[in-house]
Amino acid sequence: MTAVTADTYEAVFDAAVAADERIEPRDWMPDAYRATLVRQMAQHAHSEIIGMQPEANWITRAPSLRRKAILMAKVQDEAGHGLYLYSAAETLGTGRDELLDKLHAGRQRYSSIFNYPTLTWADVGAIGWLVDGAAITNQVPLCRCSYGPYARAMVRICKEESFHQRQGYELLLTLSRGTPAQHEMAQDAVDRWWWPSLMMFGPPDDESSHSAQSMAWKIKRHSNDELRQRFVDICVPQAEALGLTLPDPDLRWNEERGHHDFGAIDWAEFQDVLKGNGPCNDQRLTQRREAHEEGAWVRDAAAAYATKHRTEQHAKPGEATA
Amino acid sequence: MTTTANAAALALGDDALVLSHRLGEWAGHAPVLEEEVALANIALDLLGQARVLLSLVGDEDELAYLREERAFRNLQLVEQENGDFAHTIARQLYFSVYQRLLYSRLAVGDTEFAGLAAKAVKEVAYHQDHAEHWTMRLGDGTAESHERMQRACDALWRFTGEMFQPVEGVDIDWQALQSGWLETVTTVLERATLTVPGGPRSGGWSAGAGRQGLHTESFGRMLAEMQHLHRSHPGASW
C-alpha cells in the first residue's frame, strides 16, 4: 500500500475537476473549495428566501385571479428552491439552521436586487423578466458546476425559473399593450429594475475577488462581465418586442464587437446596497427575523411532539378519523 | 346554470376565494420554510376551486373584484384574520373537515358540481391531513403551543355553526354533514389533548350570516386590499 498524502488527494481532486468530473459529498476536496461553495450556495438559498418578499408584497393585490395564481405558485417555487439549495449546502457539512442564523445575523448575504421595493404591479413583471432573466443567465452555467449536488439542484431550479421568466415577460407584454396607464406602469418598472438587474452579475471582472479561483475550480464557468454582456444582448431585442425602452442612452449595437455597448453602472450604489444601505435592506432582514422568531414556538411544538411520539406506532391522522 | 345552482356556486366559490386570500397573506411570514410551501399550496388549490366555481356563475374577475362586501356569500369563518399560526390551523381544521365531507357528498351526485367536487376532494383530503397533523403537534407539543391551540379553537368555535345552514342548490343531508363534522373534529381535538369548545356555534348575526352577505368587520378591509388595483383601472385586462 502506498502512503496517501495530502498532495495525492489534491492531485486526484485537480484531475477530476480538469476532466469535468463531478465532485460528490464524500470526495475529498480542498477546505477553501468547500468554504467557497458553502458561501455561494448559502447566499443563493438566502436569495430565494428573501426574494419571496418583494413579490409576496403583491399577492394580496394581484389584479386578476389568473395572475394571483401564477404569483402564488411562483413564490411557492422560490421557497422550494430555497429548500433544495439548503439541502445541497448541507451535503458540505453545514446545517440549514446554522445558515439561517448567519443570514439573520447579517453574516451571510443574499442578492442585492431584493433590497429594491416593488412599488407597482408592473414590478412583478419586471422582476420576472429582468431579475429572473439575469438569474437564469447566471445559473444555467451552474448546471455544469463541478460540485454535483449544486449542479443537480440548478438543473431543477433553472427549469422553473425559465417558466417564471416567460410569465413575467408575458405580464409586461400585456401591460405594455394595455391602456396608456398600464403601458406607463410597465415602462416605469423597467426603468427602475434595469440597472439593479445588471448589478446582479457582480462587480466588474477586475474587482471580483472570488472569480479567478471559482473559475479554476469550475464552480464558475464565465466571468461576471461576460455574463452581463450576454444578458444585455438578450434583453435588447426582448425590450423592443415588448414595446418598452431600456433606460440607457449609451446602449447601442457595436458592429465590431458583435455586442451591445452599454452605459456605466453606478458601482457606488451597488456598494451602498451591499453594505446594507439599500432602500429595503432593513425591512427585508427584519421581516425574515420576525417570521423566524415568531415561529419559534411552532418549531418547538413540532420538536416536542416528535420527541413524545417517537417510539409510538401511531396511525396516520386521516386513518383515525376516516 | 339555474338560479339556485348559481347561488350554490357563489357560496362555495367565495369560501374558497376568501380563504385562499387569507392564506396568501402568510407568504414570507411562515414559521418554517416547509410551511411556506404548504400554505401556498393549499391557497393555490383553493384559488383553483374558486376560479372554477365562480366561472360557472359569470366572469371570475368581475365576481371577485367588483362585488362589494354585502354581495359576498362566503362563511364568516374563512374571512377571519390569520392571527397566529394556531389560529390559522384551527380555521383550516374546521373548514377542511367541512369541505371534505361536503365535497365527498357532492362528488357522488349528478349535480353541476360533481366533476369539480371529485377533483377538489382529493386536494381537500391533503388540506385536512395537514391541519390535523398541526393540530396534534401544537395541541400535544409544548405548554405554550397547547394553550395557543386551545385558545384558537375556542375563538373560532362560534363561526362553525354557520357551515351547516343549508346552501340553496346543494341538496344534501345537512344534519348528517353536521354530525359527521362534529365527530371528526372531536376525535382530532381529543387526540391533540385539546378540549372541544363548549360555547354556542353561531356569532352575533343569525346563523347563516355570511351566506346572506353579512360579514365581520375585517372582511371589508380585506376586500379593499384585494380589489384596489383592479378597480383603479376600469375595463383594463391583466
Side-chain angles (χ1 to χ4, degrees):
Chain A
M1 220 170 93
T2 52
V4 181
T5 64
D7 287 350
T8 319
Y9 283 123
E10 186 114 31
V12 170
F13 172 84
D14 288 344
V17 170
D20 272 335
E21 283 168 21
R22 290 277 162 81
I23 307 301
E24 296 298 339
R26 287 161 190 268
D27 294 341
W28 184 91
M29 62 187 85
D31 290 344
Y33 176 84
R34 186 184 298 274
T36 296
L37 276 168
V38 168
R39 180 182 53 76
Q40 183 173 337
M41 290 162 76
Q43 179 169 331
H44 196 160
H46 298 334
S47 300
E48 297 283 357
I49 301 310
I50 297 283
M52 294 167 69
Q53 291 183 32
E55 295 180 287
N57 183 37
W58 281 92
I59 286 178
T60 53
R61 291 175 290 169
S64 76
L65 298 185
R66 175 173 162 263
R67 292 292 179 196
K68 188 174 185 165
I70 291 172
L71 185 55
M72 274 183 179
K74 181 179 180 191
V75 173
Q76 182 191 17
D77 282 349
E78 282 159 2
H81 295 172
L83 285 169
Y84 298 160
L85 287 162
Y86 285 122
S87 300
E90 284 179 341
T91 64
L92 291 164
T94 181
R96 193 213 296 186
D97 292 346
E98 186 187 333
L99 298 177
L100 280 172
D101 286 345
K102 284 182 180 161
L103 168 67
H104 298 154
R107 296 195 356 254
Q108 282 179 340
R109 283 174 172 164
Y110 56 87
S111 176
S112 62
I113 193 82
F114 300 121
N115 292 312
Y116 291 86
T118 47
L119 301 179
T120 72
W121 170 249
D123 290 33
V124 171
I127 289 180
W129 176 43
L130 295 173
V131 175
D132 293 342
I136 293 163
T137 309
N138 261 328
Q139 290 170 9
V140 165
L142 285 173
C143 297
R144 294 185 294 124
C145 156
S146 57
Y147 188 58
Y150 194 21
R152 289 188 289 274
M154 292 321 303
V155 171
R156 293 180 67 176
I157 290 173
C158 283
K159 280 184 196 159
E160 292 179 351
E161 294 286 9
S162 306
F163 189 55
H164 299 159
Q165 200 234 356
R166 284 205 299 279
Q167 288 171 328
Y169 182 88
E170 193 255 332
L171 191 163
L172 279 184
L173 188 66
T174 306
L175 293 181
S176 178
R177 292 179 177 173
T179 65
Q182 286 177 305
H183 181 89
E184 194 182 322
M185 193 192 279
Q187 183 62 60
D188 169 62
V190 169
D191 289 348
R192 282 181 290 109
W193 288 93
W194 173 248
W195 291 108
S197 300
L198 293 192
M199 295 176 195
M200 285 175 70
F201 296 93
D205 291 348
D206 49 9
E207 290 168 33
S208 178
S209 49
H210 304 292
S211 278
Q213 183 61 74
S214 287
M215 286 176 79
W217 279 328
K218 294 189 180 170
I219 296 172
K220 271 181 95 150
R221 298 278 177 159
H222 310 278
S223 78
N224 294 352
D225 287 332
E226 265 173 60
L227 291 169
R228 188 167 13 243
Q229 179 70 63
R230 186 180 296 178
F231 178 67
V232 171
D233 290 338
I234 291 169
C235 285
V236 169
Q238 290 181 344
E240 278 167 21
L242 281 171
L244 298 171
T245 58
L246 296 170
D248 180 358
D250 298 326
L251 185 66
R252 62 181 59 84
W253 177 250
N254 182 326
E255 191 65 53
E256 211 171 297
R257 291 200 308 124
H259 290 292
H260 292 87
D261 291 337
F262 54 97
I265 290 170
D266 183 352
W267 292 113
E269 175 180 320
F270 177 71
Q271 289 305 331
D272 221 28
V273 176
L274 276 191
K275 273 184 227 143
N277 300 322
C280 299
N281 296 58
D282 282 347
Q283 177 186 330
R284 299 288 186 243
L285 212 48
T286 299
Q287 181 179 323
R288 181 85 269 291
R289 280 192 202 117
E290 279 175 3
H292 191 74
E293 284 161 16
E294 285 166 17
W297 70 271
V298 177
R299 296 189 300 275
D300 291 347
Y305 181 86
T307 305
K308 279 186 212 177
H309 296 271
R310 186 167 291 151
T311 52
E312 268 176 43
Q313 272 209 314
H314 51 92
K316 285 184 194 164
E319 288 166 7
T321 59
Chain B
M1 291 272 287
T2 60
T3 318
T4 52
N6 268 348
L10 212 51
L12 305 185
D14 284 352
D15 284 348
L17 177 72
V18 170
L19 186 55
S20 166
H21 185 95
R22 284 298 189 203
L23 292 173
E25 294 173 353
W26 270 104
H29 299 274
V32 55
L33 288 177
E34 284 79 357
E35 283 306 297
E36 294 284 1
V37 178
L39 295 173
N41 206 322
I42 296 169
L44 266 172
D45 287 344
L46 290 167
L47 184 54
Q49 294 165 15
R51 294 181 66 192
V52 173
L53 285 160
L54 295 182
S55 298
L56 292 173
V57 182
D59 179 273
E60 61 178 29
D61 286 335
E62 271 179 37
L63 288 165
Y65 291 100
L66 299 177
R67 273 183 301 157
E68 293 188 17
E69 199 177 334
R70 291 281 285 109
F72 274 83
R73 292 289 176 265
N74 56 283
L75 298 164
Q76 291 184 350
L77 175 69
V78 298
E79 76 202 29
Q80 296 308 304
E81 290 176 279
N82 289 333
D84 67 4
F85 189 69
H87 209 78
T88 290
I89 290 300
R91 192 183 59 196
Q92 279 311 111
L93 178 71
Y94 290 164
F95 184 73
S96 63
V97 172
Y98 161 77
Q99 209 189 11
R100 186 178 183 181
L101 291 168
L102 175 61
Y103 281 30
S104 305
R105 282 163 178 72
L106 288 174
V108 295
D110 57 354
T111 64
E112 289 90 338
F113 309 117
L116 161 91
K119 177 175 181 288
V121 78
K122 291 179 194 145
E123 298 168 347
V124 176
Y126 162 75
H127 304 172
Q128 182 181 336
D129 194 53
H130 174 263
E132 286 188 9
H133 269 105
W134 274 112
T135 300
M136 291 200 288
R137 286 189 199 110
L138 299 181
D140 195 15
T142 63
E144 182 186 4
S145 70
H146 178 87
E147 193 199 324
R148 284 184 187 246
M149 194 62 216
Q150 186 66 59
R151 211 185 305 151
C153 289
D154 293 348
L156 291 169
W157 188 247
R158 70 192 186 95
F159 297 105
T160 59
E162 190 190 354
M163 296 192 282
F164 308 101
Q165 293 303 308
V167 173
E168 198 187 1
V170 178
D171 187 22
I172 57 161
D173 182 347
W174 289 90
Q175 266 303 319
L177 187 70
Q178 170 148 236
S179 48
W181 182 89
L182 262 176
E183 194 184 321
T184 302
V185 167
T186 301
T187 309
V188 176
L189 294 185
E190 283 174 356
R191 285 193 67 200
T193 73
L194 295 162
T195 309
V196 178
R201 292 179 44 233
S202 63
W205 294 95
S206 60
R211 297 283 187 232
Q212 294 144 27
L214 296 169
H215 295 280
T216 51
E217 285 184 344
S218 71
F219 184 54
R221 281 192 300 281
M222 193 206 98
L223 284 188
E225 182 171 345
M226 183 173 108
Q227 297 181 336
H228 166 262
L229 177 59
H230 186 96
R231 285 182 181 272
S232 301
H233 296 261
S237 356
W238 301 94

